[in-house]
PDB file of all heavy atoms in Angstrom:
ATOM      1  N   THR A  20     -31.055  48.980 -55.776  1.00  0.00           N
ATOM      2  CA  THR A  20     -31.636  47.857 -54.943  1.00  0.00           C
ATOM      3  C   THR A  20     -31.553  48.235 -53.465  1.00  0.00           C
ATOM      4  O   THR A  20     -30.531  48.866 -52.996  1.00  0.00           O
ATOM      5  CB  THR A  20     -30.863  46.501 -55.195  1.00  0.00           C
ATOM      6  OG1 THR A  20     -29.440  46.722 -54.818  1.00  0.00           O
ATOM      7  CG2 THR A  20     -31.014  46.129 -56.668  1.00  0.00           C
ATOM      8  N   ILE A 114     -33.128  39.975 -18.150  1.00  0.00           N
ATOM      9  CA  ILE A 114     -32.708  41.329 -18.408  1.00  0.00           C
ATOM     10  C   ILE A 114     -31.198  41.357 -18.317  1.00  0.00           C
ATOM     11  O   ILE A 114     -30.579  40.637 -17.525  1.00  0.00           O
ATOM     12  CB  ILE A 114     -33.418  42.351 -17.356  1.00  0.00           C
ATOM     13  CG1 ILE A 114     -33.273  43.797 -17.861  1.00  0.00           C
ATOM     14  CG2 ILE A 114     -32.755  42.252 -15.985  1.00  0.00           C
ATOM     15  CD1 ILE A 114     -34.218  44.083 -18.901  1.00  0.00           C
ATOM     16  N   GLU A 155     -25.767  48.054  -7.822  1.00  0.00           N
ATOM     17  CA  GLU A 155     -24.851  47.337  -6.962  1.00  0.00           C
ATOM     18  C   GLU A 155     -23.812  46.596  -7.825  1.00  0.00           C
ATOM     19  O   GLU A 155     -22.771  46.210  -7.290  1.00  0.00           O
ATOM     20  CB  GLU A 155     -25.679  46.365  -6.010  1.00  0.00           C
ATOM     21  CG  GLU A 155     -26.390  47.123  -4.894  1.00  0.00           C
ATOM     22  CD  GLU A 155     -27.380  46.160  -4.192  1.00  0.00           C
ATOM     23  OE1 GLU A 155     -27.291  44.951  -4.573  1.00  0.00           O
ATOM     24  OE2 GLU A 155     -27.996  46.571  -3.348  1.00  0.00           O
TER      25      GLU A 155
END
Side-chain angles (χ1 to χ4, degrees):
T20 58
I114 201 79
E155 291 172 0

